[in-house]
Structure formats: C-alpha cells, structure tokens
C-alpha cells in the first residue's frame, strides 16, 4: 500500500493516537502496538517500523523521545513523570513490527530507512513549528518550551516528515487553535510529503478564523 493511500495518520505519530483511545488500560502497550501493526492486513507495520528505526538510531537524546511520545499522546510534560525509557520502547516497537512483517515475508530483516526529505521541506516545517510555538507552549503548560525544542530537534536531526507529523499530533492532542491560513499551509505541506489529506486533519485539528 502506498503511503498516500493510508487514510489515517501512520507511523509513530499515528501510533500515539492508538494510546488515546477508550481501550487503553484494557490492553498492554505491546498489545496496542501489535494491533496497530496489524492494521490494514499489516500495511501499517512498515511505516511504523521506519519511523521507530529512524528515531531509535538517531543522535537525539532519549529525553527528546520521551518528551515527544508523552506530548503526542497529550500527557503532562513537566519532566518529572517519565516512566519508560524512550529508546527501549522504540526497540519494542521495532521488534513487534518486524514480527508482523515476517508473517508475510518470513525472511524479512529490518534495514535502515531511506534518507529523509530534502532541505526546503525541513525549513518549511521548522517555520511552522516556530510560528505555532507560543500557542503550543501555552497549551502544553509546564514543559511546553521543551516540547517545541524537541520537535525542532527531530525535524533538523532526524526527519522533517516525522517531525511534521509529530507536530500535528501535538496540536491535536492539546487542542491548540490553528488559524485558517496556517491550516491551509499544513495541508500544502502534507501534499508535498505525499500524505492523504486525513493525515493532516482527521477532524481533530482545531481550525479557527485568522485574526481580524
């Protein structure tokens, strides 16, 4: 399945939405990941594996991974309640996704994902994160400034595609208001990344009119 045919948020950013549903608490984290990896007869597993591998093998501090995981789910980000090591968690995700892919491809071995998108997309995503930074800091509260910095770090040092999707997920998780002009720019960026339009907004992005 092509990425643009996946009509829900995919990869690591999409996985965070699975941890905000009513079933949380009824299944283990590993069971939730396995359910996500099996979505679409396993179509989701490859994108999730790529994101997890890219972030796991990057040079960003584990603290950045921890912060963005919590922020994308909408949990408090005050820095005092990180209960799981982010890199160990990514390793679990890689293992679960690889096991799912092997159901269809028994000889499958995870390999490093393709290089990230080009420079212009990186700059475009960074501009949008910086433009929204005051609203993100306000909505997140304690730790908000660190979350903004973590998003910028993933965009610049890991992958602007993943960074943009995590940014969108943080906006949705904290109900950050998005002016209509920004909303349209997000959709334009999504087209450049090859997303289905519902990846940018599945109905939970809080679009508001531009200030008069």
């Amino acid at each position: 399945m092509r990425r643009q045919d996946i009509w829900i948020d995919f990869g690591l950013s999409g996985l965070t939405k699975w941890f905000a549903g009513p079933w949380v608490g009824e299944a283990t984290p590993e069971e939730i990941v396995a359910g996500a990896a099996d979505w679409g007869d396993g179509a989701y597993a490859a994108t999730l594996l790529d994101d997890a591998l890219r972030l796991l093998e990057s040079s960003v501090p584990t603290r950045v991974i921890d912060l963005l995981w919590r922020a994308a789910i909408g949990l408090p980000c005050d820095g005092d309640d990180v209960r799981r090591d982010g890199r160990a968690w990514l390793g679990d995700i890689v293992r679960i996704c690889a096991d799912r892919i092997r159901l269809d491809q028994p000889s499958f071995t995870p390999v490093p994902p393709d290089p990230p998108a080009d420079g212009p997309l990186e700059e475009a995503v960074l501009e949008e994160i910086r433009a929204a930074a005051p609203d993100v800091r306000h909505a997140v509260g304690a730790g908000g400034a660190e979350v903004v910095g973590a998003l910028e770090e993933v965009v610049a040092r890991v992958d602007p595609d993943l960074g943009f999707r995590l940014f969108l997920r943080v906006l949705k998780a904290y109900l950050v208001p998005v002016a209509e002009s920004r909303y349209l720019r997000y959709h334009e960026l999504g087209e450049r990344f090859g997303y289905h339009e519902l990846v940018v907004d599945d109905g939970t992005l809080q679009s508001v009119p531009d200030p008069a």
Side-chain angles (χ1 to χ4, degrees):
M1 180 182 288
R2 299 177 308 164
R3 231 174 43 155
Q4 53 264 48
D5 294 330
I6 301 178
W7 50 267
I8 60 172
D9 193 0
F10 55 85
L12 192 65
S13 57
L15 177 65
T16 63
K17 190 175 181 179
W18 288 67
F19 281 79
W23 51 82
V24 173
E26 300 176 2
T28 67
E30 291 78 7
E31 288 170 340
I32 295 174
V33 174
D38 195 46
W39 183 89
D41 293 328
Y44 202 106
T47 65
L48 181 51
L49 177 68
D50 278 358
D51 279 353
L53 267 178
R54 195 184 300 277
L55 196 52
L56 175 64
E57 296 177 356
S58 74
S59 61
V60 300
T62 300
R63 170 70 177 162
V64 166
I65 300 169
D66 296 335
L67 267 176
L68 290 184
W69 177 258
R70 293 181 64 80
I73 297 174
L75 295 174
C77 295
D78 58 8
D80 298 324
D81 189 31
V82 174
R83 303 179 185 180
R84 188 165 194 158
D85 178 271
R87 276 200 155 77
W89 176 227
L90 289 176
D92 289 340
I93 293 171
V94 168
R95 173 182 53 79
I96 292 167
C97 289
D99 286 346
R100 175 59 186 85
I101 294 171
R102 288 190 188 104
L103 293 179
D104 301 315
Q105 305 174 42
S107 63
F108 174 78
T109 299
V111 296
D114 293 334
D118 60 14
L121 281 170
E122 176 184 320
E123 289 304 315
V125 175
L126 287 173
E127 286 179 10
E128 296 302 340
I129 292 174
R130 290 163 183 163
D135 293 329
V136 172
R137 289 195 296 265
H138 176 76
V140 174
E146 199 174 358
V147 168
V148 171
L151 287 167
E152 292 179 348
E153 195 162 356
V154 168
V155 170
R157 296 176 59 185
V158 183
D159 181 18
D161 179 351
L162 174 57
F164 183 51
R165 285 184 281 114
L166 288 172
F167 167 59
L168 292 173
R169 187 52 59 190
V170 170
L171 296 180
K172 295 166 186 174
Y174 288 93
L175 304 178
V176 179
V178 177
E180 186 175 2
S181 57
R182 288 184 188 169
Y183 180 85
L184 294 174
R185 292 201 301 270
Y186 297 168
H187 273 285
E188 290 171 358
L189 269 174
E191 290 178 2
R192 293 173 67 185
F193 279 118
Y195 302 163
H196 188 288
E197 62 181 9
L198 292 180
V199 173
V200 175
D201 184 17
D202 56 3
T204 55
L205 203 57
Q206 305 297 301
S207 177
V208 298
D210 282 320

